[in-house]
Amino acid sequence: MIPITSARREEDESRATPVEDRLAEFLAFLRRRLAGEYEVDEFGFDPELNDKVLLELIRPLYRHWFRVQTLGLANVPDETGALVVANHSGTIPVDALMLQVALHDEHPKHRPLRLLGADLVYQLPVLGHLSRKSGHTLACPEDADRLMRKGELVGVFPEGFKGVGKPFAERYKLQRFGRGGFVASAIRAGVPIIPCAIVGAEEIYPKIGDLRSLARLFGLPYIPITPLFPWLGPLGLVPLPSKWMIEFGEPVRTDQYDPEEADDPMLVFNLTDQVRELVQQQLNRLRLQRGHAFPPFF
């Protein structure tokens, strides 16, 4: 017969096991980092740091604050390269981070998304370094081609700052998709283009104005005025808890074209316009499916 004190001790140990496991995992992670026993690819991507630290910091936003619902993951390939083309919005590019979590956590193969970022991101020392560590790289054709040929999942927001910084009155209306450089890269690599619609980001920081003079002083594309910022100071930077939906549409194939056709401006323009129209249609449909941005409050 087992003594009561022994049984209680075993019960206490079993209760402490999850905490001990997390502590042991953290210490092992710390030991590997200090010993330099981790891998970084040629672009600076650090998969372990990205999963265990960077994504872990923003997962609560994804799961509990924005309550993101992801659709159409079957359209994203398991292993081969592809180009995810998404709308961009939200005043601050939180949508890029949520898209990254969606593909890493929800996709059956937990695929990392290699986002193509603007020059401004890499001019900022801390932000640029963390972006590289999380798998992002500069939005240039050379890097995009190399990543897709390696079988990576590359993400791009063709609207750029025009999309993320547009006023609230123009929400969910796609801006121009640039010159179609992303389409040319996909054709050269022979990978599919996956149109992606993100609904929810438009409501987190409703932009109603712009501090243009101050933005020029700091070399920024804009400094927004929202219903809460700058009036509430740092509290105004807390995003509103809108309901999000992310949908991956059916792939647009490019493997029927020769790589040399990437230099045909008419072909690139037509394919760019096709992808833009597909994303806009997805946005319109997804907005209706989501309903109110702040259920059950409105």
Side-chain angles (χ1 to χ4, degrees):
M1 185 175 181
I2 301 176
I4 294 178
T5 54
S6 177
R8 287 179 177 172
R9 189 181 303 114
E10 290 179 3
E11 184 180 352
D12 291 342
E13 289 176 356
S14 66
R15 288 178 181 175
T17 297
V19 177
E20 292 175 350
D21 288 345
R22 291 296 297 270
L23 180 59
E25 184 180 349
F26 172 74
L27 292 175
F29 168 79
L30 194 61
R31 185 181 66 252
R32 288 194 302 273
R33 305 305 297 186
L34 293 174
E37 298 174 356
Y38 57 91
E39 295 182 359
V40 177
D41 74 3
E42 58 185 302
F43 295 92
F45 178 39
D46 188 334
E48 184 183 48
L49 183 68
N50 183 54
D51 182 25
K52 303 297 184 184
V53 178
L54 302 180
L55 291 184
E56 191 66 24
L57 291 173
I58 58 178
R59 282 187 177 111
L61 278 177
Y62 178 91
R63 295 173 181 170
H64 307 298
W65 193 249
F66 298 135
R67 311 168 305 285
V68 182
Q69 180 181 356
T70 307
L71 307 170
L73 284 168
N75 291 318
V76 181
D78 288 346
E79 296 178 354
T80 56
L83 181 67
V84 177
V85 179
N87 60 301
H88 209 13
S89 62
T91 306
I92 295 176
V94 179
D95 52 359
L97 302 178
M98 297 302 105
L99 183 59
Q100 193 174 7
V101 176
L103 285 164
H104 184 280
D105 289 8
E106 309 286 359
H107 193 276
K109 296 296 183 179
H110 305 290
R111 299 210 63 179
L113 181 65
R114 312 300 297 271
L115 286 166
L116 304 178
D119 294 357
L120 178 62
V121 174
Y122 300 98
Q123 293 171 5
L124 304 173
V126 176
L127 183 59
H129 178 71
L130 291 178
S131 294
R132 293 282 187 188
K133 288 289 187 181
S134 64
H136 305 179
T137 190
L138 187 65
C140 65
E142 294 78 14
D143 283 2
D145 290 352
R146 285 162 60 198
L147 284 167
M148 286 187 283
R149 291 179 193 277
K150 288 175 58 179
E152 298 284 357
L153 193 62
V154 175
V156 64
F157 297 95
E159 295 173 280
F161 288 119
K162 299 189 303 295
V164 75
K166 65 177 176 287
F168 187 66
E170 297 179 15
R171 60 192 180 279
Y172 299 114
K173 296 178 182 178
L174 289 180
Q175 305 298 299
R176 197 170 71 88
F177 265 21
R179 300 178 181 177
F182 67 93
V183 165
S185 294
I187 293 174
R188 291 190 188 96
V191 302
I193 300 172
I194 302 171
C196 175
I198 303 174
V199 166
E202 297 276 16
E203 292 88 9
I204 62 173
Y205 296 112
K207 183 184 173 188
I208 57 176
D210 196 345
L211 300 172
R212 297 182 181 178
S213 298
L214 196 59
R216 284 195 296 269
L217 179 64
F218 288 101
L220 299 174
Y222 57 85
I223 293 179
I225 298 174
T226 76
L228 302 180
F229 181 84
W231 327 114
L232 298 184
L235 283 177
L237 296 176
V238 176
L240 297 177
S242 57
K243 167 64 181 173
W244 284 45
M245 298 182 76
I246 299 176
E247 181 182 49
F248 300 95
E250 293 186 9
V252 177
R253 293 181 55 186
T254 66
D255 55 356
Q256 68 266 38
Y257 304 111
D258 292 328
E260 293 77 16
E261 292 185 80
D263 298 322
D264 181 348
M266 201 62 198
L267 171 64
V268 170
F269 174 81
N270 289 336
L271 201 52
T272 301
D273 195 52
Q274 177 188 347
V275 174
R276 183 182 180 277
E277 183 61 28
L278 288 171
V279 175
Q280 184 66 70
Q281 290 174 7
Q282 284 178 253
L283 282 174
N284 297 340
R285 185 175 63 253
L286 210 59
R287 284 186 71 191
L288 291 174
Q289 184 176 341
R290 180 197 63 171
H292 294 299
F294 301 98
F297 305 106
F298 299 103

